[in-house]
Amino acid sequence: MIAYYFQGLALGAAMILPLGPQNAFVLNQGIRRQYHLMIAALCAFSDILLISAGIFGGSALLMQSPLLLTAVTWGGVAFLLWYGWGALRTAFSRNIEMENAATLKQGRLRLIATMLAVTWLNPHVYLDTFVVLGSLGGQMAEEPKRWFALGTISASVLWFFGLALLAAWLAPRLRTVTAQRIINGLVGIVMWVIAIRLAQDGFSHLSALIN
């Protein structure tokens, strides 16, 4: 059974490592040292729910509802464009210290809402957990399936807490004006690139619904 655990761990790590909305948000909160462990815990918990749903058969609802998938896609596009604009505005601000200070005043509830949007309005999360993990784990027997799910969940938990703690540790070096401009610029570009790709997927979904 250990082989199934490490199979899930390796696949989970491969899917979570690329820079995406979740990782960028956790990284930023770690650098700011603002509720970063809480954000990491909530991201990990969200992944636990999504991974469990995908592997243990909960993917049918989304995969059988093109309308729901389309709604999630366009919600994600709108959010990522808004979030990316905020990051780019900070990167090119004349007084980036004031922009960062204003960001640090965000309350806990607003950060939680942003984290939920970053996670649950990203259709790629559903494709990874429901389609990829669901198709692989769903074919396994009950006991191997549990170990496979535990492996992918372990990858998520280790990654989010590791990223948050590493970013907080490196915060003194990454909170300089130059570093903040670079980080916010990269985050903004990544968000907009993902939004454009999601929009392309959204048009495909709309075409499928119309036809």
Side-chain angles (χ1 to χ4, degrees):
M1 294 301 151
I2 297 299
Y4 290 103
Y5 173 83
F6 282 108
Q7 181 184 352
L9 184 70
L11 183 58
M15 291 193 303
I16 203 172
L17 284 177
L19 183 61
Q22 264 188 324
N23 290 340
F25 186 62
V26 174
L27 178 67
N28 262 345
Q29 293 310 122
I31 293 171
R32 293 167 181 157
R33 294 179 176 175
Q34 183 189 28
Y35 300 119
H36 54 293
L37 293 180
M38 179 195 73
I39 295 299
L42 290 173
C43 284
F45 181 69
S46 294
D47 269 17
I48 290 172
L49 294 179
L50 288 163
I51 290 168
S52 299
I55 293 177
F56 294 101
S59 61
L61 175 62
L62 186 68
M63 294 302 104
Q64 293 178 3
S65 177
L67 184 61
L68 179 59
L69 185 59
T70 300
V72 171
T73 298
W74 286 107
V77 169
F79 174 78
L80 290 173
L81 287 174
W82 171 79
Y83 192 87
W85 166 248
L88 290 172
R89 185 183 63 186
T90 299
F92 291 102
S93 173
R94 292 183 179 179
N95 196 334
I96 193 170
E97 290 91 348
M98 289 185 62
E99 289 285 346
N100 287 331
T103 303
L104 285 172
K105 290 180 181 178
Q106 291 181 353
R108 185 181 303 180
L109 291 178
R110 184 172 180 180
L111 288 174
I112 291 174
T114 303
M115 185 283 304
L116 292 174
V118 164
T119 301
W120 295 88
L121 287 179
N122 181 11
H124 287 169
V125 171
Y126 298 100
L127 295 176
D128 287 344
T129 55
F130 286 1
V131 178
V132 178
L133 294 179
S135 61
L136 290 174
Q139 300 174 7
M140 298 178 181
E142 199 62 31
E143 191 65 19
K145 185 185 297 185
R146 292 195 187 100
W147 283 94
F148 179 77
L150 182 61
T152 56
I153 287 171
S154 298
S156 177
V157 172
L158 290 172
W159 171 253
F160 284 124
F161 278 99
L163 181 62
L165 290 171
L166 179 63
W169 180 57
L170 294 174
R173 298 179 182 178
L174 297 177
R175 292 180 73 173
T176 64
V177 171
T178 301
Q180 282 294 294
R181 290 193 188 280
I182 294 172
I183 291 170
N184 279 285
L186 288 174
V187 168
I189 291 170
V190 167
M191 295 299 176
W192 277 15
V193 167
I194 296 174
I196 291 170
R197 291 178 179 174
L198 288 182
Q200 292 172 341
D201 293 340
F203 284 121
S204 299
H205 297 151
L206 284 175
S207 298
L209 285 175
I210 294 172
N211 296 330

